[in-house]
């Protein structure tokens, strides 16, 4: 009787254990997006302040390629630009002087015309006085002679203005062409300076992400060329776990779905994170030996990527669990 009760008790315990649900739906390892930082300029790597395992901030300068020659070239171009500015100011002053000369001649011409108009009125007035016998004939003749002189002076001034205007117009057109050429040269130099500035900026080794340096390929003092790999960084802020699920589980999982991720520190120590499914493989594969699935008898599984924000405790390669 006691033996029968013992067997019955064991059967109940085993049955209860078999019905106990797992705390997770899939397991996997934590990974991070890796970025290879390459040189964007050629030359001696003057400084590379970076070591494997070092954490770097996004946008931080951790080294630079020698840029002395670029800086000297920029100074030379800036000096050329200043010289062109001086030339443009000189041409503008000459153009302004020509315009002033033309204006002075026009004022002179207007003055002569005004004098002629005044003399015409005087002639009319003295002619009437002469008819009345109030003035001598000589006074009228003097005014007529004065008008004749002014008209000759007007004609000569008009000829001079036409001649000067033609010469000044030609000169101003030449100055305009020179100023346009100077402006084009200045734009070309400004474009070269902008290009030099870009090359100087590219000489700095700047971290594109906030993460950890996991590999270092060069040392300070080495000569590097554009495109040569310098470092490999891992984005440890935004990590993900790559877990594997069976086709039966797959029907309940979709991209954008929230999931609970547990980082396994061993000895039952776990830390929970909120994750999001960002990728599901569209191809099945054989179960990796290091991966446990909800159905270990399945030969084919699908990879699922769950992204999470790391608080600094999750490490690359650490095992984790996912609950969808």
């Amino acid at each position: 009787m006691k033996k029968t009760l013992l067997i019955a008790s064991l059967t109940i315990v085993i049955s209860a254990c078999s019905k106990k649900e797992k705390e997770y739906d899939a397991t996997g390892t934590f990974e991070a997006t890796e970025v290879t930082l390459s040189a964007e300029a050629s030359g001696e790597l003057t400084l590379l302040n970076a070591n494997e395992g070092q954490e770097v901030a996004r946008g931080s300068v951790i080294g630079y390629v020698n840029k002395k020659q670029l800086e000297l070239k920029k100074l030379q171009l800036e000096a050329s630009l200043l010289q062109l500015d001086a030339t443009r100011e000189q041409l503008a002053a000459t153009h302004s002087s020509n315009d002033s000369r033309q204006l002075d001649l026009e004022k002179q011409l207007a003055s002569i015309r005004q004098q002629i108009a005044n003399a015409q009125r005087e002639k009319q007035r003295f002619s009437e006085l002469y008819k009345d016998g109030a003035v001598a004939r000589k006074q009228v003749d003097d005014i007529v002679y004065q008008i004749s002189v002014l008209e000759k002076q007007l004609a000569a001034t008009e000829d001079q203005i036409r001649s000067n205007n033609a010469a000044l117009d030609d000169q101003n057109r030449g100055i305009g062409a020179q100023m346009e050429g100077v402006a084009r040269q200045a734009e070309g130099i400004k474009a070269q300076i902008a290009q030099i500035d870009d090359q100087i900026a590219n000489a700095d080794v700047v971290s594109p992400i906030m993460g950890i340096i996991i590999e270092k390929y060069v040392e300070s003092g080495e000569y590097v060329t554009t495109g040569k790999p310098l470092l490999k960084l891992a984005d440890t802020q935004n990590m993900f776990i790559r877990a594997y699920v069976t086709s039966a589980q797959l029907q309940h999982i979709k991209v954008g779905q929230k999931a609970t991720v547990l980082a396994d520190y061993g000895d039952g120590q776990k830390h929970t994170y909120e994750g999001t499914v960002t990728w599901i493989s569209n191809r099945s594969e054989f179960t990796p030996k290091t991966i446990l699935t909800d159905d270990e008898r399945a030969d084919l599984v699908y990879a699922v990527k769950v992204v999470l924000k790391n608080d600094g405790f999750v490490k690359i390669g650490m095992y984790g669990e996912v609950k969808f």
Side-chain angles (χ1 to χ4, degrees):
M1 182 65 177
K2 291 182 179 180
K3 185 176 183 180
T4 303
L5 289 173
L6 179 59
I7 292 173
S9 299
L10 289 173
T11 302
I12 293 171
V13 171
I14 292 171
S15 177
C17 291
S18 64
K19 290 180 180 179
K20 184 180 178 182
E21 292 184 359
K22 291 181 179 179
E23 293 181 357
Y24 56 87
D25 295 317
T27 63
T29 54
F30 288 99
E31 301 178 27
T33 300
E34 296 180 356
V35 176
T36 299
L37 180 57
S38 301
E40 295 186 57
S42 296
E44 180 189 351
L45 187 61
T46 307
L47 174 69
L48 185 61
N49 184 23
N51 296 295
E52 293 179 357
Q54 177 182 334
E55 184 176 28
V56 293
R58 178 186 177 90
S60 61
V61 178
I62 53 179
Y64 59 88
V65 176
N66 191 317
K67 46 191 172 184
K68 184 65 177 178
Q69 292 303 315
L70 292 172
E71 291 169 343
L72 291 174
K73 179 65 176 177
K74 181 181 178 179
L75 289 175
Q76 183 181 4
L77 290 171
E78 288 174 340
S80 298
L81 193 60
L82 289 174
Q83 185 176 358
L84 286 176
D85 286 340
T87 301
R88 184 171 57 246
E89 289 177 2
Q90 184 178 0
L91 290 171
T94 302
H95 191 283
S96 178
S97 176
N98 288 343
D99 289 343
S100 179
R101 287 171 58 190
Q102 286 179 310
L103 183 61
D104 289 342
L105 289 173
E106 291 292 340
K107 288 179 178 179
Q108 183 180 349
L109 190 64
S111 176
I112 294 172
R113 285 173 177 163
Q114 185 62 46
Q115 293 178 57
I116 291 173
N118 293 338
Q120 292 287 1
R121 286 193 295 271
E122 286 294 301
K123 176 188 172 184
Q124 180 66 28
R125 187 169 67 85
F126 273 84
S127 294
E128 291 176 356
L129 291 173
Y130 171 72
K131 288 179 183 181
D132 294 337
V135 296
R137 175 69 189 180
K138 185 177 182 305
Q139 288 180 284
V140 176
D141 291 342
D142 287 344
I143 294 174
V144 171
Y145 177 73
Q146 182 183 0
I147 292 173
S148 174
V149 172
L150 287 172
E151 287 176 340
K152 289 178 181 178
Q153 186 178 352
L154 177 66
T157 303
E158 287 177 337
D159 288 341
Q160 182 184 1
I161 287 176
R162 280 193 293 269
S163 176
N164 285 347
N165 282 351
L168 291 176
D169 286 343
D170 288 342
Q171 187 176 358
N172 284 341
R173 280 194 293 271
I175 290 173
Q178 291 180 65
M179 291 181 71
E180 186 177 347
V182 168
R184 284 198 297 268
Q185 290 182 57
E187 289 301 318
I189 291 177
K190 288 177 182 178
Q192 292 181 63
I193 290 175
Q195 187 177 31
I196 293 292
D197 284 337
D198 185 62
Q199 292 174 351
I200 290 174
N202 288 340
D204 289 335
V205 180
V206 181
S207 175
I209 61 171
M210 180 172 183
I212 300 293
I213 298 172
I214 55 177
E215 286 188 69
K216 182 179 178 182
Y217 305 122
V218 294
E219 296 292 341
S220 299
E222 291 188 37
Y223 185 89
V224 297
T225 56
T226 303
K228 181 180 177 63
L230 306 176
L231 306 166
K232 181 178 285 187
L233 303 125
D235 181 3
T236 53
Q237 271 198 324
N238 303 287
M239 295 188 67
F240 60 91
I241 183 170
R242 189 186 301 271
Y244 293 84
V245 298
T246 64
S247 57
Q249 292 174 295
L250 192 61
Q251 61 183 327
H252 303 295
I253 302 171
K254 63 179 180 180
V255 173
Q257 178 179 333
K258 297 297 181 181
T260 300
V261 180
L262 295 92
D264 190 349
Y265 296 99
D267 294 330
Q269 300 294 318
K270 297 182 181 181
H271 198 149
T272 303
Y273 299 89
E274 182 181 295
T276 304
V277 177
T278 59
W279 173 80
I280 301 173
S281 176
N282 58 2
R283 293 183 179 180
S284 60
E285 54 187 283
F286 287 102
T287 308
K289 292 181 180 180
T290 57
I291 300 300
L292 297 175
T293 68
D294 194 44
D295 186 358
E296 296 179 11
R297 293 173 299 175
D299 291 326
L300 297 175
V301 290
Y302 293 83
V304 176
K305 184 187 290 186
V306 181
V307 174
L308 64 138
K309 281 286 184 182
N310 186 14
D311 56 4
F313 292 104
V314 178
K315 304 298 189 291
I316 298 173
M318 181 185 292
Y319 282 95
E321 301 162 353
V322 181
K323 181 72 175 178
F324 295 103

